Amino acid sequence: EIYTLSLHDALPILVISYADRNSADAQRAKLAMLGISSKVVERTNGDKTVYRVQSNSMSSEAAKNIQKDLQKHNINSLMRSAQ
């Protein structure tokens, strides 16, 4: 799992990172059932690939509101700067 935190104006929310695409897609589907739009982003660091489930960029206030909704469903998340 890879988490970072930033307080820029336009933030995506990183829910969690997975070592395999299927797990990331399953988490994205759970978020869709909660009405939260997200995508799976593939990142490679050396020889290791991770699949990050994250939202599109949004204002800090909107990100905080979605983060509260996720917490109500026991889904951990952090805000991170867009890359």
Side-chain angles (χ1 to χ4, degrees), residues 3-35:
Y3 296 110
T4 56
L5 178 64
S6 177
L7 297 177
H8 295 240
D9 288 334
L11 301 170
I13 295 178
L14 175 64
V15 176
I16 194 166
S17 292
Y18 294 93
D20 66 282
R21 180 72 188 222
N22 289 338
S23 296
D25 285 336
Q27 182 65 49
R28 186 189 56 72
K30 287 180 189 176
L31 295 177
M33 288 190 292
L34 296 173

Side-chain angles (χ1 to χ4, degrees), residues 8-68:
H8 295 240
D9 288 334
L11 301 170
I13 295 178
L14 175 64
V15 176
I16 194 166
S17 292
Y18 294 93
D20 66 282
R21 180 72 188 222
N22 289 338
S23 296
D25 285 336
Q27 182 65 49
R28 186 189 56 72
K30 287 180 189 176
L31 295 177
M33 288 190 292
L34 296 173
I36 299 169
S37 178
S38 64
K39 61 186 173 186
V40 176
V41 178
E42 182 179 329
R43 294 282 185 223
T44 303
N45 184 7
D47 62 350
K48 184 178 179 182
T49 300
V50 294
Y51 301 90
R52 298 175 177 174
V53 180
Q54 67 185 43
S55 70
N56 293 324
S57 294
M58 63 187 72
S59 70
S60 294
E61 190 63 32
K64 288 176 188 176
N65 290 336
I66 288 178
Q67 204 168 28
K68 287 178 187 177

